[in-house]
Amino acid sequence: MQLKTMPKKKPLSAGRAPLFLFLCQMISALDVPLDLVQPPTITQQSPKDYIIDPRENIVIQCEAKGKPPPSFSWTRNGTHFDIDKDPLVTMKPGSGTLVINIMSEGKAETYEGVYQCTARNERGAAVSNNIVVRPSRSPLWTKERLEPIILRSGQSLVLPCRPPIGLPPAIIFWMDNSFQRLPQSERVSQGLNGDLYFSNVLPEDTREDYICYARFNHTQTIQQKQPISLKVISAKSSKERPPTFLTPEGNESHKEELRGNVLSLECIAEGLPTPVIYWIKEDGTLPVNRTFYRNFKKTLQIIHVSEADSGNYQCIAKNALGAVHHTISVTVKAAPYWIVAPHNLVLSPGENGTLICRANGNPKPRISWLTNGVPVEIALDDPSRKIDGDTIMFSNVQESSSAVYQCNASNKYGYLLANAFVNVLAEPPRILTSANTLYQVIANRPALLDCAFFGSPMPTIEWFKGTKGSALHEDIYVLHDNGTLEIPVAQKDSTGTYTCVARNKLGMAKNEVHLEIKDPTRFIKQPEYAVVQRGSKVSFECKVKHDHTLIPTILWLKDNGELPNDERFSVDKDHLVVSDVKDEDGGTYTCAANTTLDSVSASAVLRVVDVPNPPFDLELTNQLDKSVQLTWTPGDDNNSPITKFIIEYEDAMHEAGLWRHQAEVSGTQTTAQLKLSPYVNYSFRVMAENSIGRSVPSEASEQYLTKAAEPDQNPTAVEGLGTEPDNLVITWKPLNGFQSNGPGLQYKVSWRQKDGDDEWTSVVVANVSKYIVSGTPTFVPYLIKVQALNDVGFAPEPAAVMGHSGEDLPMVAPGNVRVSVVNSTLAEAHWDPVPPKSVRGHLQGYRIYYWKAQSSSKRNRRHIEKKILTFQGSKTHGMLPGLQPYSHYVLNVRVVNGKGEGPASADRGFHTPEGVPSAPSSLKIVNPTLDSLTLEWDPPSHPNGILTEYILKYQPINSTHELGPLVDLKIPANKTRWTLKNLNFSTRYKFYFYAQTSVGSGSQITEEAITTVDEAMASRQVDIATQGWFIGLMCAVALLILILLIVCFIRRNKGGKYPVKEKEDAHADPEIQPMKEDDGTFGEYSDAEDHKPLKKGSRTPSDRTVKKEDSDDSLVDYGEGVNGQFNEDGSFIGQYSGKKEKEPAEGNESSEAPSPVNAMNSFV
């Protein structure tokens, strides 16, 4: 055989493995290559029962294969059919198929009969089934005159159809003249025989066009029966009756069905009311997955019926007046069916073999054998053959033993015919699978490597892996009889070349195939269940990982079909997006990822939800004076269960267009009993609510006007309050129209004094909300009632409420007013309550007026604004906060009611004690000299007592902003100016200044100032700074610093240390700041001769020394402008001046005046 040089890829999937194995085991090893001599085999033939269309040519199929190619012959009705003698009959070239040309002439009925085809060559003859050829028939209804049918309402009726007998049988249905199907129900239905059954007729059944139609599918024709006229006369009362069966008749019947068919049992009953049909199987249960009910349960169907379904079936027709039973005895027979069909035998000379033909049926079929189409009983004798019933045994066969054997299994219900040849050949092995076939398999799945072979005698098969591998054994592999090698779980190391070797006594053949193992396709992200509201957007995600050599295709499906052709559906690489979701979009969405080797799929359900559709068909029943029953039909819940219904009403008489809440019921109810009020013209509407929201309201129900009645409630919020000292104003919240219960709504207003014996005074007023009673005594309690009435009657007697006539101003002032001073800013006032009767109204409280009359220190009277405090209720004391110390106050007390204030009590004065003073009003420092400063100030604006003295504290600030020793000084209280002498020149000082009374010290005020500079020293400094040697020295120092910085920068970038860094590391002083990159200034480092560590100002040192902070602020912030100077090289010369106030603190730091050298040292 020629080997193919290009490998042929052959993917295998696990899903097709069982079918593959079955076909290989049953066929492949016995298939004889067509280049070898073999008897004929029938490959195609027409069905046994062959119904033809008489309008078309007749084609009777018979195809066969064999070597040499077989010749064909036919019999018709058991005798030879000579096709050469009939010009209308031809046989297709190279085929046994007959074509009978009846389109030009001839009739189909002429060629009715039983045909059988024989295919023959030198090795034997195969025969076809008996093919019964019959033309289809669609006869017309016979003409008949149908009399109109007249019945009384409630009677039963059967309209007969009785279609003409056609071939195949017609399909029956009932329609009217407009070709509209007649509606059917439990009351009216069509039987299996085509008749139309009425359990009882109703007037609406009256019509003149009950027409039975018969459709013959084979010829695509429809025949029509004459119309039947039915008139149903209404009866005042139809007599009810228990059920009786219209079909089948009697109490028992019998039904026979063949195995494998559909068993259909029918019971149709009449009765009034309409009966309901039930089915049971006696001594058994109905098969769950094979039982179906048709025609409103009047027909019971069992599919794939078997002998086990034989037995008694009972149908029960039941209505309110009784029940009737009918038993159907079912017997299941069986046409012959195969248990073991005979298969072709390929034997080598001298071998033995067996043909088995085993069938079953009911009754049991008879087995008969033929050889080359001739019964074995009259065929030529073959010594190698022995027949034993359904088995033929062959021994020591020779080439002359080759033949085709036919097995016929038949009983009264049919027959089976099978051809099986015996072919005696002597052939060396040959492998039929293509060479170098490439198999690609997904990892961890079975791999099936084909080795289709042929040889006679039957070759043995061995498999090898690689070029030098040993034979593969069944401990890891599965070696099938058809030559296939199965690797149950293929792994990556299963990849390689496999060799199949076939051997028999006549020779050997081999073939190589190749196996590649691929990674499986799997999901990284798969679609998930989604619930979305109608009109929104939903997205499903689908990501897969696959073998890099395979190209997957992603296919989205909806309900296992294609996605709708709608632009709302969009698919990109990983997503399916559905926009503007609609109800019909709900369903199961599947992402299917397919490669040439495998496929995976994942599904997710989309549930489209929305607010419910509104209820409909609102109906009012059980209409009573004070209740009504409302019934409705729920709308679609839109896939979210309805949780409740909300019922609203409209009162068209009193509040037309305004809908109010009436009731709520659960989502499972469709009726509600509603309580009603009299004299209301009701309309109702219903809304449904689910988890998504509330539906729009339903259409309004019909209106329902309830009868008028007396009011069942009285006005609320009844009050009696006087607006003047001599009146009583009675007010109430009137009833609305809905609460009036009838026409002519009025109110009966009644009143009398609470503490008197007077009778009730009453007056009837119109539908208002206020009535004024005049001439009442001042602030007297009254009992009040307001009762509703209308034209029908009075409301129930109302409860009395208490009110008061009008108030007047109080007559008496509080007495015994006294004050106790708590401290310099707080006092407490006390007073005696006034007599209740003098209040002449509702006591609201007491009000204190108080004001500052004069200052104890200056004795000048000065009126200020009065302050007011109100204390609620009957309280007889109160606190006066926020008073001015060392002051004289005056107060009085008044009683307050709803009308206003009463007279004031006598004024009561009191003094507040001394307090601490406020800060001095100002502090200025004037006339600075070399060693002195003069302070001027204004006294405190609020001394809060008699000043005893002033306290002055001051301390110097040195060049590092640290505060020096603190000096205390007491100054007499009558002074407003003080000069400090013997101060250091050119030194900044900070001053803290406050006043004192006998109670204590007040708030302080702070200030800073600088003494003047010594001109001689300044001159010397300037002279030094202008010397050439000094300028050169400064330049050298600057150059040295620049070089040092460059070296440090390089070493820092390389991770090394430099002298300054080593010094930082040694001292580990976190307060030393390096050069700032943003403004180019240097941090502070100590002078080489001054071995003190640099100190950075801290806010609160533990030794109470206040130091000025080093800051990143501009240097200008630290100078006063006069003393701040710059050298020619840009160095700053001067003193720091802190801007931030510090608390006075003791310190030991010296405050020497800085020199230009020191100033420079501070930057080196």
mmCIF file of all heavy atoms in Angstrom, residues 347-364:
data_model
loop_
_atom_site.group_PDB
_atom_site.id
_atom_site.type_symbol
_atom_site.label_atom_id
_atom_site.label_comp_id
_atom_site.label_asym_id
_atom_site.label_seq_id
_atom_site.Cartn_x
_atom_site.Cartn_y
_atom_site.Cartn_z
ATOM 1 N N LEU A 347 -14.664 -16.366 6.304
ATOM 2 C CA LEU A 347 -13.884 -17.508 6.794
ATOM 3 C C LEU A 347 -12.813 -17.859 5.773
ATOM 4 O O LEU A 347 -12.960 -17.595 4.569
ATOM 5 C CB LEU A 347 -14.795 -18.721 7.015
ATOM 6 C CG LEU A 347 -15.953 -18.531 8.010
ATOM 7 C CD1 LEU A 347 -16.852 -19.769 8.006
ATOM 8 C CD2 LEU A 347 -15.427 -18.256 9.409
ATOM 9 N N SER A 348 -11.771 -18.426 6.270
ATOM 10 C CA SER A 348 -10.735 -18.950 5.354
ATOM 11 C C SER A 348 -10.970 -20.437 5.173
ATOM 12 O O SER A 348 -11.654 -21.084 5.990
ATOM 13 C CB SER A 348 -9.347 -18.687 5.937
ATOM 14 O OG SER A 348 -9.169 -19.412 7.135
ATOM 15 N N PRO A 349 -10.472 -21.004 4.088
ATOM 16 C CA PRO A 349 -10.713 -22.436 3.848
ATOM 17 C C PRO A 349 -10.301 -23.276 5.059
ATOM 18 O O PRO A 349 -9.245 -23.056 5.669
ATOM 19 C CB PRO A 349 -9.827 -22.726 2.632
ATOM 20 C CG PRO A 349 -9.726 -21.407 1.926
ATOM 21 C CD PRO A 349 -9.712 -20.375 3.000
ATOM 22 N N GLY A 350 -11.225 -24.217 5.417
ATOM 23 C CA GLY A 350 -10.956 -25.119 6.527
ATOM 24 C C GLY A 350 -11.451 -24.604 7.868
ATOM 25 O O GLY A 350 -11.416 -25.346 8.859
ATOM 26 N N GLU A 351 -11.901 -23.305 7.976
ATOM 27 C CA GLU A 351 -12.360 -22.761 9.250
ATOM 28 C C GLU A 351 -13.817 -23.136 9.508
ATOM 29 O O GLU A 351 -14.536 -23.609 8.626
ATOM 30 C CB GLU A 351 -12.219 -21.238 9.269
ATOM 31 C CG GLU A 351 -10.793 -20.763 9.498
ATOM 32 C CD GLU A 351 -10.732 -19.271 9.753
ATOM 33 O OE1 GLU A 351 -11.473 -18.519 9.094
ATOM 34 O OE2 GLU A 351 -9.935 -18.864 10.629
ATOM 35 N N ASN A 352 -14.220 -22.911 10.756
ATOM 36 C CA ASN A 352 -15.601 -23.151 11.173
ATOM 37 C C ASN A 352 -16.274 -21.821 11.498
ATOM 38 O O ASN A 352 -15.610 -20.827 11.830
ATOM 39 C CB ASN A 352 -15.646 -24.049 12.413
ATOM 40 C CG ASN A 352 -14.936 -25.383 12.183
ATOM 41 O OD1 ASN A 352 -14.913 -25.902 11.065
ATOM 42 N ND2 ASN A 352 -14.347 -25.921 13.248
ATOM 43 N N GLY A 353 -17.609 -21.796 11.434
ATOM 44 C CA GLY A 353 -18.328 -20.559 11.770
ATOM 45 C C GLY A 353 -19.788 -20.838 12.068
ATOM 46 O O GLY A 353 -20.281 -21.952 11.891
ATOM 47 N N THR A 354 -20.485 -19.785 12.524
ATOM 48 C CA THR A 354 -21.890 -19.937 12.929
ATOM 49 C C THR A 354 -22.691 -18.704 12.507
ATOM 50 O O THR A 354 -22.223 -17.565 12.652
ATOM 51 C CB THR A 354 -22.002 -20.090 14.454
ATOM 52 O OG1 THR A 354 -21.226 -21.216 14.864
ATOM 53 C CG2 THR A 354 -23.448 -20.309 14.873
ATOM 54 N N LEU A 355 -23.905 -18.950 11.981
ATOM 55 C CA LEU A 355 -24.893 -17.903 11.741
ATOM 56 C C LEU A 355 -26.041 -18.114 12.720
ATOM 57 O O LEU A 355 -26.595 -19.201 12.800
ATOM 58 C CB LEU A 355 -25.432 -17.941 10.303
ATOM 59 C CG LEU A 355 -24.527 -17.432 9.189
ATOM 60 C CD1 LEU A 355 -25.227 -17.581 7.847
ATOM 61 C CD2 LEU A 355 -24.152 -15.985 9.429
ATOM 62 N N ILE A 356 -26.384 -17.041 13.476
ATOM 63 C CA ILE A 356 -27.469 -17.127 14.459
ATOM 64 C C ILE A 356 -28.547 -16.141 14.065
ATOM 65 O O ILE A 356 -28.276 -14.977 13.769
ATOM 66 C CB ILE A 356 -26.964 -16.825 15.878
ATOM 67 C CG1 ILE A 356 -25.882 -17.825 16.285
ATOM 68 C CG2 ILE A 356 -28.103 -16.836 16.880
ATOM 69 C CD1 ILE A 356 -25.245 -17.534 17.626
ATOM 70 N N CYS A 357 -29.818 -16.617 14.054
ATOM 71 C CA CYS A 357 -30.969 -15.773 13.752
ATOM 72 C C CYS A 357 -31.984 -15.993 14.861
ATOM 73 O O CYS A 357 -32.691 -17.009 14.885
ATOM 74 C CB CYS A 357 -31.551 -16.136 12.386
ATOM 75 S SG CYS A 357 -33.056 -15.217 11.977
ATOM 76 N N ARG A 358 -32.075 -15.026 15.797
ATOM 77 C CA ARG A 358 -32.925 -15.196 16.973
ATOM 78 C C ARG A 358 -33.861 -13.992 17.078
ATOM 79 O O ARG A 358 -33.405 -12.847 17.099
ATOM 80 C CB ARG A 358 -32.061 -15.323 18.217
ATOM 81 C CG ARG A 358 -32.754 -15.934 19.404
ATOM 82 C CD ARG A 358 -31.725 -16.465 20.391
ATOM 83 N NE ARG A 358 -30.990 -17.590 19.837
ATOM 84 C CZ ARG A 358 -29.783 -17.976 20.254
ATOM 85 N NH1 ARG A 358 -29.164 -17.305 21.198
ATOM 86 N NH2 ARG A 358 -29.179 -19.019 19.702
ATOM 87 N N ALA A 359 -35.186 -14.266 17.123
ATOM 88 C CA ALA A 359 -36.184 -13.196 17.172
ATOM 89 C C ALA A 359 -37.254 -13.553 18.185
ATOM 90 O O ALA A 359 -37.403 -14.711 18.598
ATOM 91 C CB ALA A 359 -36.808 -12.963 15.796
ATOM 92 N N ASN A 360 -38.019 -12.534 18.579
ATOM 93 C CA ASN A 360 -39.117 -12.734 19.527
ATOM 94 C C ASN A 360 -40.333 -11.973 19.034
ATOM 95 O O ASN A 360 -40.244 -11.089 18.183
ATOM 96 C CB ASN A 360 -38.713 -12.269 20.924
ATOM 97 C CG ASN A 360 -39.563 -12.904 22.006
ATOM 98 O OD1 ASN A 360 -40.484 -13.694 21.705
ATOM 99 N ND2 ASN A 360 -39.289 -12.584 23.257
ATOM 100 N N GLY A 361 -41.498 -12.301 19.598
ATOM 101 C CA GLY A 361 -42.743 -11.624 19.250
ATOM 102 C C GLY A 361 -43.881 -12.267 20.008
ATOM 103 O O GLY A 361 -43.701 -13.206 20.790
ATOM 104 N N ASN A 362 -45.092 -11.736 19.789
ATOM 105 C CA ASN A 362 -46.288 -12.301 20.437
ATOM 106 C C ASN A 362 -47.401 -12.355 19.390
ATOM 107 O O ASN A 362 -47.952 -11.312 19.030
ATOM 108 C CB ASN A 362 -46.701 -11.435 21.614
ATOM 109 C CG ASN A 362 -47.836 -12.047 22.418
ATOM 110 O OD1 ASN A 362 -48.186 -13.210 22.215
ATOM 111 N ND2 ASN A 362 -48.422 -11.252 23.303
ATOM 112 N N PRO A 363 -47.692 -13.537 18.869
ATOM 113 C CA PRO A 363 -47.128 -14.847 19.256
ATOM 114 C C PRO A 363 -45.686 -15.013 18.771
ATOM 115 O O PRO A 363 -45.218 -14.243 17.950
ATOM 116 C CB PRO A 363 -48.063 -15.831 18.564
ATOM 117 C CG PRO A 363 -48.611 -15.076 17.403
ATOM 118 C CD PRO A 363 -48.733 -13.653 17.839
ATOM 119 N N LYS A 364 -45.011 -16.044 19.307
ATOM 120 C CA LYS A 364 -43.599 -16.266 19.000
ATOM 121 C C LYS A 364 -43.443 -16.536 17.517
ATOM 122 O O LYS A 364 -44.165 -17.337 16.929
ATOM 123 C CB LYS A 364 -43.065 -17.438 19.816
ATOM 124 C CG LYS A 364 -41.551 -17.576 19.738
ATOM 125 C CD LYS A 364 -41.041 -18.582 20.740
ATOM 126 C CE LYS A 364 -39.517 -18.670 20.676
ATOM 127 N NZ LYS A 364 -38.880 -17.395 21.044
#
